[in-house]
Amino acid sequence: MKDLTQDYIPELHKDHVEWKKKLAFYDDELRIYKKQLADISAKNTSHDLKVMVEKFQNQFIIQKDEIDRLNHFINVNEDDLEKEVISNPVAIEHRKMDDDKTLRERMEIFAPLFEELKSEFQEFARKTF
């Protein structure tokens, strides 16, 4: 069951747009890190390094999956907003709709975890180049 509160439709839409921009940025960063990781892996053959490469590959897959899931949930919520606005376009800036707190919390948790992984990877990349 979703944990819901209420917020104004324009505020919910603004949050969705902001979140999607952030997720697109994280997705772009992941593509860059995957390329760097492939370069590191190609230039180094030590077993210990390969173990770390695999660890980061797995973490990048997990992060990409979470980005995809978050985008999906945002799209579902945005579709609900759109349906509400289409069905009753009067005074949308003064009406409230359900705000999925679980999604909001997942977004708040995702960013610091991603930043932590990013820092770990950047430190690893510095040491291997």
Side-chain angles (χ1 to χ4, degrees):
M1 188 166 90
K2 289 184 178 179
D3 188 5
L4 301 172
T5 59
Q6 294 262 305
D7 204 351
Y8 291 101
I9 291 172
E11 288 299 314
L12 294 171
H13 174 69
K14 185 183 91 174
D15 288 345
H16 295 160
V17 169
E18 179 183 323
W19 293 342
K20 289 195 65 80
K21 285 180 184 176
K22 286 181 180 180
L23 292 172
F25 179 75
Y26 293 135
D27 201 33
D28 288 343
E29 282 191 309
L30 271 180
R31 273 193 283 282
I32 292 166
Y33 299 147
K34 285 179 184 178
K35 167 112 178 57
Q36 285 180 316
L37 191 62
D39 292 345
I40 290 168
S41 181
K43 293 177 184 175
N44 297 283
T45 58
S46 82
H47 174 72
D48 291 343
L49 189 114
K50 293 293 184 185
V51 168
M52 290 301 294
V53 165
E54 186 175 344
K55 172 196 169 219
F56 283 111
Q57 284 173 332
N58 291 336
Q59 287 297 314
F60 293 163
I61 290 167
I62 291 167
Q63 295 303 309
K64 174 64 173 146
D65 287 346
E66 184 64 5
I67 288 169
D68 291 345
R69 277 192 295 278
L70 289 167
N71 271 314
H72 170 75
F73 293 131
I74 292 166
N75 289 338
V76 168
N77 286 349
E78 194 64 17
D79 287 347
D80 291 343
L81 291 180
E82 185 177 335
K83 288 175 190 168
E84 176 64 22
V85 169
I86 289 170
S87 71
N88 187 2
V90 178
I92 62 167
E93 61 276 353
H94 300 294
R95 290 199 341 257
K96 289 185 174 184
M97 279 190 64
D98 290 338
D99 179 14
D100 185 348
K101 278 180 47 180
T102 303
L103 174 59
R104 187 169 296 281
E105 289 169 359
R106 283 179 72 175
M107 285 299 301
E108 290 170 1
I109 290 168
F110 180 81
L113 291 176
F114 187 90
E115 291 300 323
E116 183 179 326
L117 174 61
K118 178 175 152 178
S119 292
E120 286 176 26
F121 177 69
Q122 289 173 338
E123 180 66 24
F124 169 73
R126 271 192 297 279
K127 288 178 180 177
T128 57
F129 272 129

